[in-house]
Amino acid sequence: MTAEVTTAAPSTSAKKTRKRILTGDRPTAKSFHLGNYYGTLANRVKLQDEYESFFLIADYHMLTTRVADLEEIGQNIRELVTDYLSVGIDPKKSTIYLQSLIPEVTELFLYFAMLVTVPRAQRIPTLKDQMRDHNLAVPTYGLLGYPILQAADILMVKGDLVPVGRDQESHVELTREVARRFNELFGAVFPVPEALIPEGGMLPGIDGASKMGKSLGNAIFLTDDPKTVEKKIRSMYTDPNRIHPTDPGRVEGNPVFVYHDIFNPDRAEVEDLKRRYREGQVRDVEVKEKLIVAVEEFLRPIRERRARYAADPKGVDRIIEEGSERARAEARKTLHEVRSAMHLDYFGL
Ligand code: ATP
Ligand code: MG
């Protein structure tokens, strides 16, 4: 079976006609879960029709916390891209690219590093989170610079909009400052990008925790097989105060119904279940069994697409290479403007 791997490139016309978005992920070992889908992937799939979209695989960013632990990174990169493709990010519409194939970004990072003071970088709230999560007493120079590298990622392709979680908002704020500062000092080269923060709340975990998380042991992954999905949903937390099926149950905030609302397209079925749940006329088992069916319907096409791409790893690599070439062409153009604005083009480079 050959995968439906397409390689036709979106045109890289010199003139920017549509607004650009840039967003990305670090290639960690874990695949995406339903929360990631709900919180970000679904939105990306939608946005790619309206915006010129760049999806960055941020492998340089792995160095900030995992410099000696990168044996698996090549495989993780392929898995991440396969995840993108399987949820419907379309390489004909969007540019999927690997950060380290655009070494120009490190040059832009160097210039930007001259525009950000050390106390400003230290004030970024994610720095403390990273230090805590990775048990670091002090940050490396590289970790401190992480948001500046992100500013270089965004501005390298002249991103207008940056879809990120609320936790990354401070990085976009720094990017805006860098763009303004650069434009003030050297002339108008960069757009001042805006963060696009999703409005929906967080998807709860199957354990009822307020957030499904990759490392929290409470996630349904897009790569889970039907048996695993079924087992996870059967074990799901519901209304803890409801002991018997005849007890009236609480629907609001009940994870089983939160999932039904998001993943079950049969609205009439969901409303009927909610009514009966409130009236104590339905067993948890039935609510869960209908949810298993809905989640399976949702996951099946994703799984099928994933299998097709997984059967053609060379095709996936080609998508990464071609996307990276396109992104690199943008990067070169931007750097040319940057050097010229900074009077660093003395040898006509
Ligand atoms: P980790 O536990 O390693 O932080 P995670 O599960 O939080 O992993 P991230 O890689 O941090 O996943 O998040 C990727 C994107 O998915 C972010 O935009 C984040 O806001 C979003 N996201 C993560 N978890 C959820 C969730 N439960 N509901 C909605 N969006 C989520
Ligand atoms: Mg997270």
Side-chain angles (χ1 to χ4, degrees):
M1 189 169 49
T2 42
E4 222 180 41
V5 175
T6 46
T7 53
S11 74
T12 40
S13 62
K15 213 164 137 256
K16 226 173 97 176
T17 47
R18 284 184 299 162
K19 285 207 168 194
R20 280 193 184 164
I21 62 171
L22 175 125
T23 190
D25 298 282
R26 302 204 319 161
T28 54
K30 295 254 166 63
S31 89
F32 288 119
H33 51 66
L34 293 181
N36 299 134
Y37 183 86
Y38 172 65
T40 168
L41 295 174
N43 202 26
R44 294 186 201 181
V45 173
K46 231 173 33 214
L47 290 169
Q48 68 180 346
D49 288 321
E50 198 179 331
Y51 297 96
E52 200 179 336
S53 303
F54 288 83
F55 298 113
L56 163 73
I57 315 293
D59 59 338
Y60 281 151
H61 284 287
M62 292 298 292
L63 303 173
T64 56
T65 52
R66 303 263 298 271
V67 72
D69 180 21
L70 298 172
E71 298 87 1
E72 316 260 294
I73 194 165
Q75 192 46 35
N76 295 344
I77 288 165
R78 285 192 190 94
E79 295 283 330
L80 179 57
V81 174
T82 308
D83 277 340
Y84 281 177
L85 298 167
S86 63
V87 297
I89 290 178
D90 180 349
K92 277 187 284 185
K93 298 178 188 165
S94 302
T95 298
I96 299 172
Y97 71 103
L98 182 62
Q99 191 179 29
S100 61
L101 291 179
I102 326 291
E104 285 80 2
V105 77
T106 60
E107 184 178 333
L108 193 60
F109 168 60
L110 174 80
Y111 301 148
F112 286 174
M114 310 303 161
L115 307 181
V116 179
T117 66
V118 171
R120 177 67 186 92
Q122 285 170 326
R123 269 207 314 274
I124 303 264
T126 49
L127 178 65
K128 283 208 185 68
D129 299 341
Q130 294 270 348
M131 287 167 59
R132 188 198 52 224
D133 292 350
H134 297 276
N135 292 317
L136 303 171
V138 288
T140 62
Y141 200 61
L143 182 60
L144 183 65
Y146 170 40
I148 306 174
L149 180 56
Q150 210 174 353
D153 293 327
I154 297 166
L155 296 175
M156 190 98 230
V157 297
K158 300 199 176 175
D160 300 293
L161 287 170
V162 190
V164 284
R166 200 163 286 289
D167 51 333
Q168 297 264 311
E169 204 174 0
S170 60
H171 296 188
V172 181
E173 190 45 47
L174 182 77
T175 305
R176 291 164 61 81
E177 287 172 30
V178 167
R180 278 199 214 98
R181 183 92 184 110
F182 187 98
N183 292 348
E184 244 165 53
L185 288 173
F186 306 110
V189 171
F190 293 112
V192 179
E194 279 177 43
L196 198 64
I197 311 276
E199 279 162 20
M202 285 281 162
L203 187 76
I206 55 172
D207 59 353
S210 60
K211 180 189 177 302
M212 179 180 284
K214 271 179 198 156
S215 344
L216 301 175
N218 66 4
I220 296 176
F221 291 96
L222 300 183
T223 48
D224 281 345
D225 60 41
K227 274 225 153 56
T228 310
V229 173
E230 178 177 347
K231 212 167 111 215
K232 286 182 177 175
I233 293 179
R234 283 195 192 280
S235 77
M236 259 180 92
Y237 174 102
T238 55
D239 177 352
N241 297 320
R242 190 170 184 253
I243 319 283
H244 308 288
T246 48
D247 295 345
R250 203 170 54 86
V251 162
E252 284 68 34
N254 184 332
V256 185
F257 284 102
V258 175
Y259 288 23
H260 263 298
D261 277 336
I262 297 170
F263 295 103
N264 189 345
D266 187 344
R267 301 318 308 156
E269 178 176 277
V270 175
E271 289 314 312
D272 174 61
L273 286 174
K274 283 185 180 172
R275 184 186 53 76
R276 289 196 285 137
Y277 198 81
R278 287 196 182 101
E279 292 171 0
Q281 290 181 20
V282 64
R283 290 153 57 85
D284 275 15
V285 170
E286 184 184 339
V287 179
K288 288 180 174 178
E289 277 171 357
K290 296 211 155 96
L291 182 61
I292 292 167
V293 172
V295 170
E296 271 305 309
E297 285 292 306
F298 166 77
L299 285 176
R300 192 178 317 117
I302 295 179
R303 233 182 251 131
E304 284 169 4
R305 245 178 277 150
R306 178 168 241 292
R308 283 206 300 276
Y309 284 112
D312 183 14
K314 284 215 171 64
V316 173
D317 285 2
R318 207 160 54 234
I319 286 170
I320 301 173
E321 281 160 23
E322 292 185 359
S324 302
E325 265 170 42
R326 284 204 294 282
R328 194 166 192 196
E330 292 300 323
R332 289 203 167 119
K333 225 160 51 190
T334 304
L335 259 191
H336 184 76
E337 288 174 49
V338 165
R339 290 194 198 120
S340 139
M342 294 177 77
H343 307 290
L344 288 168
D345 56 347
Y346 17 77
F347 293 115
L349 296 169

